Amino acid sequence: MGKSSMDTRRRINHFHVLIKQCSKLEAQKTACAGLDAQQISAIDQEIDKVSREMAEMGGLDWYQKASLLGQCKQRGGDTSRWLVPKLRELGVDNRQSGPRLRLLDVGALSCMNYAKERKWIDVTPIDLNSQEPGVHQQDFLDIAIGSVLPPSNSDKQAEEDSDDELDLFAAPFDVVCLSLVVNFIGDPSRRGDMLKQASRVLASNGLLFLVLPLSCVCNSRYLDDDRLQQIMRYLGFSQL
C-alpha cells in the first residue's frame, strides 16, 4: 500500500494501465486468427509479463484494499455522499408510504455505504471480487432481471443458516450506480456492454449514476463529453 494518498493514486492508475494492456493483448490474440505459433507465443509472453507485474503489485485484492482506503472521509468519501443528495434533489426520497428505492451498487467496496438511508433505499452491492460479507460476488454483465442469486461465497453464514435463495434480481432496479468501474474495464467493447447492461436492468424511468475519471473525457483520443452524451442518448438516457 502506498505511504501517501498521492502514491496510492499513482499505483492505482498504473494498475489500470496494466489491465488495459492485458485486455488489448488478449483481444489481439483472439481477433487475429491467422497468427502463427511463434506470434501467439510472443503475445502469451507479454500477457504473462503484465500479469506478473499486476501480481507483484498485489493483484485485484491490493487494488480493492487501496480503493477502500480511498473511501475514507479524509480522502473524499464514498460515492453515496454524492449520489444520495442528488436523489433527494430529484425528489425520489419521499417513499415513507411506498416501496423502498431499489439501488444496484456495482463494484461496491462496502455494504454500509447507504446504511443511513436504509429507510428509503434498498441497496444491492455487488463486486467481481467481494472483499466484505454483504457485498455479493457477481458479474454485472451476467445479471438477468427475473433471475435469483444463490448465496455467494461472501454469504457463507447465510448459506449455513438457510437454504433460501436470494431474490436480488427478480425485479428491475430504480437506480444503478457505476462509479469508477466502467473505466476499470480494459476492453472498450465491454465498457459499452456495461452501459447497455445498465439500460437492461433499470426500471422504466430508472436512473443511472455514472462516474468516470475526468481524463476519460478530457484527455482521450477516442472519447469526449459530446461523444459520451451521444452514446448515452442512443441508449435512451438523458442527462439530469
Side-chain angles (χ1 to χ4, degrees):
M1 196 74 70
K3 294 181 179 179
S4 67
S5 59
M6 185 177 296
D7 184 48
T8 300
R9 175 51 54 190
R10 178 186 60 79
R11 286 165 57 82
I12 287 175
N13 288 341
H14 184 59
F15 197 82
H16 285 171
V17 171
L18 294 175
I19 288 175
K20 291 178 182 178
Q21 288 179 355
C22 194
S23 295
K24 287 179 180 178
L25 289 166
E26 292 283 4
Q28 182 181 348
K29 180 179 174 182
T30 302
C32 300
L35 294 176
D36 58 34
Q38 185 175 358
Q39 291 171 316
I40 293 175
S41 177
I43 293 175
D44 284 338
Q45 289 177 19
E46 286 297 317
I47 292 174
D48 289 342
K49 179 181 177 182
V50 174
S51 298
R52 281 197 304 272
E53 185 173 354
M54 291 169 63
E56 288 169 1
M57 290 182 67
L60 189 57
D61 284 344
W62 168 84
Y63 169 82
Q64 291 185 309
K65 288 182 174 67
S67 297
L68 273 170
L69 180 62
Q71 272 204 170
C72 71
K73 291 182 180 179
Q74 292 84 352
R75 298 188 181 186
D78 65 87
T79 298
S80 67
R81 294 182 63 204
W82 308 99
L83 177 51
V84 169
K86 186 63 179 179
L87 293 174
R88 291 190 186 279
E89 178 187 324
L90 294 172
V92 296
D93 61 325
N94 187 22
R95 294 197 167 214
Q96 288 83 356
S97 59
R100 292 185 295 166
L101 197 75
R102 283 174 48 79
L103 187 152
L104 179 62
D105 191 8
V106 182
L109 296 170
S110 172
C111 65
M112 299 303 295
N113 287 346
Y114 297 88
K116 293 181 180 179
E117 320 300 332
R118 62 169 60 94
K119 287 185 178 180
W120 61 282
I121 293 180
D122 177 14
V123 62
T124 299
I126 64 170
D127 191 70
L128 276 173
N129 186 34
S130 173
Q131 296 287 302
E132 178 181 299
V135 176
H136 306 285
Q137 193 153 311
Q138 171 70 36
D139 189 333
F140 175 58
L141 292 175
D142 288 342
I143 293 175
I145 295 301
S147 65
V148 291
L149 177 69
S152 66
N153 292 335
S154 63
D155 298 310
K156 290 180 180 178
Q157 187 61 48
E159 190 173 10
E160 292 172 0
D161 295 342
S162 172
D163 292 329
D164 293 339
E165 291 182 313
L166 302 176
D167 223 0
L168 296 178
F169 308 128
F173 290 88
D174 301 299
V175 182
V176 170
C177 178
L178 296 179
S179 178
L180 301 178
V181 292
V182 175
N183 56 290
F184 186 78
I185 306 299
D187 185 351
S189 65
R190 284 179 64 82
R191 294 178 211 154
D193 289 340
M194 289 196 75
L195 297 178
K196 287 189 287 186
Q197 176 72 339
S199 67
R200 294 190 193 105
V201 303
L202 277 168
S204 177
N205 298 318
L207 300 169
L208 170 63
F209 187 72
L210 176 65
V211 180
L212 297 172
L214 190 60
S215 58
C216 287
V217 291
C218 293
N219 190 30
S220 171
R221 290 177 294 173
Y222 311 106
L223 185 70
D224 57 21
D225 188 62
D226 288 340
R227 179 60 174 160
L228 178 60
Q229 295 280 357
Q230 182 182 8
I231 292 170
M232 300 311 291
R233 284 195 298 270
Y234 178 79
L235 293 172
F237 294 103
S238 58
Q239 186 173 2
L240 300 178

